[in-house]
Amino acid sequence: MDNIHYISTDILSLEIVNDILSQDKKLALSEEARANIEKCRAYLDNKMESLDKPIYGINTGFGSLYNVKISNDNLSKLQENLVKSHACGTGDEVPEAIVKIMLLLKIQSLSYGNSGVQLQTVERLVDFYNNEIYPVIYTLGSLGASGDLAPLAHLSLPLLGEGEVYMDGFRQPAHKVLAKMGWEPIILKSKEGLALLNGTQFMSAYGVYVLLKSVKLNYLADVIGAISLEGFDGRIEPFDEHIHMVRPHKGQIVTARRFNDLLEDSEIIAHPKQHVQDPYSFRCIPQVHGATKDTVDYVKKVFKIEINSVTDNPNIFVESDQIISGGNFHGQPLALTLDFLGIAMAELGSISERRTYQLISGLRGLPPFLVSNPGLNSGFMIPQYTAASIVSQNKQLATPASVDSIVSSNGQEDHVSMGANAATKTLRIVENVERILAIELMNASQALEFRRPLKSSDFIEVFVKSYREEVPLVTEDRILHYDIENTIAFLNNLHLDDSVIE
């Protein structure tokens, strides 16, 4: 029972989603969710028996074809055609980890009883999740406005025995997997295709994935920044609580306190300094890292609302006997926050690269490029080039997607969010930041050795010792590509305490 998460109206938080994923929990519909789904479907079936007027997406065409009435005999075919015709994704495949989150969030959204889907449709999505059957979905194709139509169409195709899925590590036709599992294809009823395709689960899944990664990288940026501060023989005064209490931004305060904790009892930080001030990339760490933390906190609030919402259209309200067509599928709240998050995370990489640059500059008793016998050895000269290149790319990627809109569906969908593009490029930014921080860790840990025999704090010494088991000290030139990749793997494999995610 402990390894099952029951889908219900209980609030999903980022921490709960992380727990579901990290503990590899299975999903099950609660009795509440089953009752809500069945009640809504029964209401819609009864309504269709006596309904003569057109209701968008239920007995009409879609988009600009909203005024084309469809006969009751063709309602199932209408929904099947919708799923097939909208499966127009292209580009790279969506990472499996994000497809898994898409399934979770689509199940959650359909479980509230406002979408009109059949119980067996949601149960089949649960089956896909629990049996690690992941539809093949593509990164390009969504405008982030009528929901994530193309990606969600690819998510839904296997319900019909169409499209492709990954199972047991192999890409294979969905109909073969259904046959292997002994499952019949789902025959969609009225509105079901639209309920599956309308929704923000592509943007939301990317957002959840990127947020979890961003929270971890924010913590690691502090740890790696603290190692850089020690390697650069920096001062602790800029992290004094008095400074931050007179400008009490939460993230700034949290960052300063963390640095004091990380560097507690450090011999390096305590010994007398020859310099009065540090460069901004060290002195302003609380202000810069802190602003990114505050951005992450804001984005978490937006996504918490989103992943606990109904985002298809139209929405069905059984108690008030209404079927209302609206715009809950529009991704504007997500597009704006994903762009904001991308900008904030890009800045975390930008200041990291500046610290790397300072460390290799031959300042404060450090040898040029952090290697003995510089000249014969180039040392850490070129990793800084690599970091600078990645920072530059992040600046380009940080250009907001949400400021763009292109008219679609013959003018019916005349303002779109481009939130899907914001989502995919924000993931690229965050992955780039991980690479930049890995390069800083390489440099910072190397610089720390030139401060011997002085020691850093117990925490820093243990952290660096663990890192050294994966990436040895550089004593003469070697191929640093492997060191970069091994450092990225080291950071990826670190598991943080749950309190860091909160």
Side-chain angles (χ1 to χ4, degrees):
M1 297 292 288
D2 289 340
N3 208 40
I4 297 176
H5 172 79
Y6 286 91
I7 301 292
S8 70
T9 56
D10 292 346
I11 296 297
L12 268 184
S13 65
L14 194 66
E15 296 76 28
I16 291 172
V17 173
N18 183 62
D19 181 65
I20 294 168
L21 298 173
S22 63
Q23 299 300 318
D24 198 23
K25 291 188 174 182
K26 302 299 184 183
L27 301 182
L29 296 175
S30 66
E31 289 304 316
E32 174 195 32
R34 296 172 69 88
N36 287 338
I37 293 167
E38 289 185 308
K39 183 178 181 180
C40 185
R41 184 66 233 179
Y43 167 85
L44 185 56
D45 285 340
N46 291 333
K47 179 68 71 173
M48 294 307 299
E49 291 179 3
S50 58
L51 191 66
D52 290 324
K53 67 176 183 177
I55 298 181
Y56 174 73
I58 295 178
N59 56 6
T60 72
F62 308 101
S64 64
L65 300 175
Y66 64 91
N67 58 351
V68 178
K69 181 76 162 55
I70 308 298
S71 69
N72 285 359
D73 294 338
N74 287 322
L75 295 187
S76 182
K77 185 64 174 177
L78 172 69
Q79 301 300 316
E80 180 183 333
N81 286 349
L82 175 72
V83 175
K84 290 180 179 179
S85 67
H86 283 53
C88 293
T90 188
D92 296 332
E93 292 179 16
V94 176
E96 186 176 281
I98 295 177
V99 175
K100 185 173 184 176
I101 300 172
M102 287 179 68
L103 283 168
L104 168 62
L105 299 184
K106 175 53 80 173
I107 293 163
Q108 182 70 33
S109 184
L110 295 177
S111 72
Y112 294 115
N114 299 103
S115 301
V117 292
Q118 299 176 86
L119 179 60
Q120 65 173 324
T121 302
V122 186
E123 288 177 330
R124 181 61 52 81
L125 292 173
V126 172
D127 289 336
F128 285 169
Y129 184 97
N130 289 341
N131 289 280
E132 299 181 355
I133 298 170
Y134 301 121
V136 176
I137 306 172
Y138 301 93
T139 55
L140 298 175
S142 172
L143 299 175
S146 293
D148 292 308
L149 294 175
L152 290 175
H154 285 281
L155 183 80
S156 304
L157 279 175
L159 295 169
L160 313 179
E162 300 283 354
E164 295 175 293
V165 299
Y166 280 98
M167 183 182 180
D168 298 328
F170 297 100
R171 179 171 171 166
Q172 45 197 305
H175 69 87
K176 289 188 176 180
V177 171
L178 263 60
K180 178 180 178 180
M181 300 299 291
W183 298 336
E184 291 294 326
I186 300 292
I187 298 174
L188 298 178
K189 299 182 75 172
S190 59
K191 193 196 178 282
E192 281 201 281
L194 198 59
L196 290 164
L197 270 56
N198 270 180
T200 62
Q201 285 76 37
F202 177 83
M203 292 176 280
S204 297
Y206 265 88
V208 167
Y209 184 83
V210 167
L211 274 168
L212 289 171
K213 203 166 183 67
S214 296
V215 170
K216 179 179 179 179
L217 291 178
N218 268 271
Y219 175 80
L220 290 175
D222 288 349
V223 173
I224 295 167
I227 301 171
S228 290
L229 186 71
E230 293 282 74
F232 197 63
D233 196 24
R235 303 186 69 98
I236 196 63
E237 288 86 351
F239 302 89
D240 190 289
E241 187 176 46
H242 289 87
I243 292 174
H244 308 291
M245 286 305 175
V246 296
R247 195 199 191 196
H249 292 291
K250 178 187 173 184
Q252 183 174 328
I253 293 170
V254 168
T255 304
R257 285 177 178 168
R258 181 172 290 162
F259 267 71
N260 281 290
D261 290 341
L262 290 170
L263 298 173
E264 186 177 5
D265 296 328
S266 165
E267 295 174 0
I268 298 174
I269 207 73
H271 89 102
K273 309 295 180 184
Q274 299 298 316
H275 43 277
V276 177
Q277 271 192 344
D278 292 329
Y280 283 6
S281 57
F282 294 93
R283 190 174 6 138
C284 299
I285 285 174
Q287 289 78 11
V288 178
H289 286 205
T292 296
K293 287 182 179 67
D294 288 339
T295 302
V296 169
D297 282 347
Y298 167 68
V299 177
K300 283 172 66 176
K301 291 175 184 175
V302 173
F303 273 84
K304 185 176 181 179
I305 293 171
E306 190 71 12
I307 66 177
N308 290 281
S309 297
V310 178
T311 57
D312 65 294
N313 178 65
N315 299 136
I316 300 169
F317 301 94
V318 177
E319 301 303 329
S320 60
D321 189 21
Q322 294 186 89
I323 302 175
I324 306 173
S325 182
N328 275 355
F329 47 64
H330 201 291
Q332 194 71 12
L334 307 185
L336 291 171
T337 48
L338 284 164
D339 280 337
F340 191 16
L341 180 61
I343 292 167
M345 291 302 292
E347 282 300 286
L348 210 59
S350 178
I351 195 172
S352 168
E353 182 277 330
R354 289 292 82 197
R355 290 191 294 266
T356 294
Y357 179 84
Q358 294 285 356
L359 288 169
I360 64 172
S361 298
L363 303 172
R364 299 189 179 181
L366 296 174
F369 307 114
L370 297 175
V371 70
S372 301
N373 200 5
L376 176 63
N377 292 300
S378 294
F380 285 78
M381 179 190 295
I382 304 303
Q384 184 268 327
Y385 287 38
T386 304
S389 169
I390 300 170
V391 166
S392 179
Q393 184 181 78
N394 271 358
K395 292 175 184 178
Q396 297 153 25
L397 290 169
T399 301
S402 56
V403 298
D404 187 32
S405 179
I406 297 177
V407 177
S408 57
S409 196
N410 282 358
Q412 181 71 1
E413 297 163 13
D414 57 348
H415 181 276
V416 299
S417 76
M418 296 299 179
N421 288 344
T424 53
K425 73 183 184 66
T426 299
L427 176 58
R428 290 180 63 191
I429 289 171
V430 169
E431 289 174 337
N432 277 344
V433 171
E434 185 173 54
R435 298 180 178 109
I436 297 164
L437 289 173
I439 292 171
E440 183 186 356
L441 176 56
M442 288 170 56
N443 283 267
S445 58
Q446 183 82 3
L448 197 64
E449 293 305 311
F450 292 99
R451 299 301 169 198
R452 303 305 184 198
L454 294 177
K455 290 186 177 182
S456 186
S457 66
D458 290 344
F459 179 90
I460 295 297
E461 293 292 346
V462 169
F463 185 91
V464 172
K465 182 180 179 181
S466 176
Y467 172 61
R468 282 284 169 249
E469 293 175 2
E470 305 297 328
V471 181
L473 186 72
V474 176
T475 55
E476 60 181 20
D477 280 351
R478 64 183 187 229
I479 301 172
L480 294 180
H481 160 77
Y482 301 114
D483 287 5
I484 294 173
E485 294 304 309
N486 289 336
T487 305
I488 293 169
F490 172 78
L491 297 179
N492 256 314
N493 292 331
L494 287 172
H495 295 287
L496 304 187
D497 187 88
D498 289 343
S499 62
V500 175
I501 298 173
E502 294 175 358

